[in-house]
Amino acid sequence: MSIQDEETEDRSVVSYRSVDLVVSVLLFLASIILGWTNWQIGAGWAPDGPEAGYFPFYLCVLLGIASLIGIVKGVISRSDASFVGRDQFKRVLQVAIPSLAFVAGIQWLGIYVSSFLLIAGFMRFLGKSSILASLVTPVIFVVFMFYVFEKQFTVLLPKGPIERALLY
């Protein structure tokens, strides 16, 4: 690998300054929304003590002040230190995208088939396990999960077309 390739892989995807600003703005917006909601509930002092929104409202005020400080610090900061590099971001996406697909897949395939696919995919593609291990391990896990939840705890988990075809 050449030096140029290493520099390309290590290039920053996002800086600390950008992340600080985005998080501070989101927290500030959350403090406004939650503060307004608590103000509507009642953020004052009643004859019998604080109203329901009193403490949450003032926590939102503190969060808003802290967020504003973060925004100001982010704006005046000149640091461009890397928060995450390309290679690190790629590894995060290798886990995040299949995990999101797993959650979405539960709706159509059920939790057992989705779990099988997630575990098998992680083992095969990220863990570089053999095909046999990548198929046997998730089968054992899914059967065990089925036994524990469906038979022992009688918890109904989302099922897909395969389970319905097996009349379960």
Side-chain angles (χ1 to χ4, degrees):
M1 182 182 291
S2 71
I3 293 174
Q4 185 177 6
D5 291 338
E6 289 179 21
E7 288 175 4
T8 302
E9 285 184 23
D10 293 331
R11 279 195 328 205
S12 176
V13 173
V14 66
S15 69
Y16 273 102
R17 181 175 179 243
S18 300
V19 171
D20 285 344
L21 278 170
V22 168
V23 170
S24 293
V25 167
L26 291 175
L27 286 173
F28 182 72
L29 293 174
S31 72
I32 290 173
I33 293 167
L34 295 172
W36 175 254
T37 304
N38 285 298
W39 181 264
Q40 289 179 322
I41 292 172
W45 199 266
D48 59 340
E51 294 177 322
Y54 182 83
F55 292 111
F57 173 77
Y58 286 103
L59 288 175
C60 290
V61 170
L62 290 174
L63 178 62
I65 292 168
S67 300
L68 284 174
I69 291 169
I71 290 169
V72 169
K73 288 175 91 174
V75 168
I76 63 174
S77 173
R78 298 286 178 230
S79 173
D80 283 332
S82 175
F83 180 75
V84 64
R86 285 182 183 234
D87 191 45
Q88 295 167 326
F89 191 63
K90 179 182 169 190
R91 283 184 270 156
V92 168
L93 290 179
Q94 286 175 333
V95 173
I97 292 172
S99 297
L100 290 172
F102 165 73
V103 171
I106 290 173
Q107 304 301 314
W108 295 284
L109 302 173
I111 196 161
Y112 301 113
V113 174
S114 294
S115 296
F116 172 84
L117 293 172
L118 180 73
I119 295 166
F122 275 151
M123 287 184 69
R124 183 69 184 142
F125 299 111
L126 294 181
K128 307 292 187 219
S129 298
S130 69
I131 292 175
L132 182 64
S134 298
L135 294 175
V136 171
T137 304
V139 165
I140 292 170
F141 174 78
V142 168
V143 168
F144 177 75
M145 191 169 78
F146 179 83
Y147 173 74
V148 168
F149 288 105
E150 301 285 338
K151 296 296 184 182
Q152 296 303 308
F153 294 140
T154 61
V155 174
L156 300 175
L157 296 176
K159 294 178 185 61
I162 293 176
E163 293 90 353
R164 284 192 288 274
L166 295 172
L167 301 175
Y168 206 89

